[in-house]
Amino acid sequence: MAPWWSPHRWGLQRVFNLASPIVRPVVNFQSERRLKNALNIADLRHAAGARMHRMSFGYLDSGADDEIALQRATASYANYEFHYHVLRGLDRPVDLSTEFWGGEKINLPFFPSPCACHRLFHNEGETAVATVAAEKQIPFTLSTFASQNFQTVSNARAKGKLAGAEEPPLVFQLY
């Protein structure tokens, strides 16, 4: 049992949750403004760096060892320009669906890649990302070093799945 002076014993988190609707908009005002004004990946990276704890952002923004692979990947994309008029004139909504592995249909041609310890970045961890992936009907890959177990993430995906829709693949990264 926690000591008498512990905030966990008094349930202060419950009190803080009551104040959340008032406090959260004030605390998140700057972050939400930066996010709304972001035009490209560099702006999103800046917004994340300003919002996240330095250690968490450093982990997410870095590569392995001496970061040569990260530098090469970044440099290779510098050779491409995106022309935003490419999808102009197409009937809305544009169908971006494609087939995945064994011919399973997914709604988008990309999906979240595995990353260890999602709870460093969000209090709900992998379940938050897995739920959104299920809502959008795209695969989710759970890292070997996830902060939540496979069953918890699988249950969250089942809750996020749209009614009557097929559940997209849940992949486990094993190494």
Side-chain angles (χ1 to χ4, degrees), residues 95-106:
D95 182 19
L96 297 176
S97 63
T98 188
E99 289 185 0
F100 183 72
W101 284 348
E104 297 177 60
K105 183 182 174 199
I106 60 173

Side-chain angles (χ1 to χ4, degrees), residues 100-101 104-106 138-141 157 167-171:
F100 183 72
W101 284 348
E104 297 177 60
K105 183 182 174 199
I106 60 173
I138 56 175
F140 176 74
T141 306
R157 282 180 57 82
E167 188 169 334
L170 175 59
V171 181

Side-chain angles (χ1 to χ4, degrees), residues 14-61:
R14 293 183 191 135
V15 175
F16 291 147
N17 284 340
L18 292 174
S20 181
I22 299 165
V23 175
R24 190 176 299 267
V26 174
V27 171
N28 290 336
F29 175 74
Q30 288 284 67
S31 300
E32 289 177 6
R33 190 172 71 175
R34 275 191 296 269
L35 196 57
K36 286 179 185 174
N37 293 331
L39 298 175
N40 55 32
I41 298 298
D43 291 346
L44 289 174
R45 185 178 169 274
H46 173 72
R51 176 76 167 117
M52 295 174 71
H53 186 277
R54 187 183 321 156
M55 181 195 73
S56 298
F57 181 72
Y59 173 79
L60 191 61
D61 193 48

Side-chain angles (χ1 to χ4, degrees), residues 108-169:
L108 295 171
F110 53 86
F111 53 92
S113 60
C115 178
C117 302
H118 279 217
R119 284 199 170 168
L120 281 174
F121 322 119
H122 192 277
N123 62 338
E124 292 179 33
E126 289 82 2
T127 58
V129 181
T131 302
V132 171
E135 288 172 3
K136 302 299 180 190
Q137 291 190 285
I138 56 175
F140 176 74
T141 306
L142 186 66
S143 170
T144 302
F145 299 108
S147 55
Q148 294 174 302
N149 65 37
F150 190 87
Q151 189 61 47
T152 303
V153 174
S154 180
N155 292 343
R157 282 180 57 82
K159 289 178 187 173
K161 185 178 74 115
L162 300 173
E166 260 187 57
E167 188 169 334

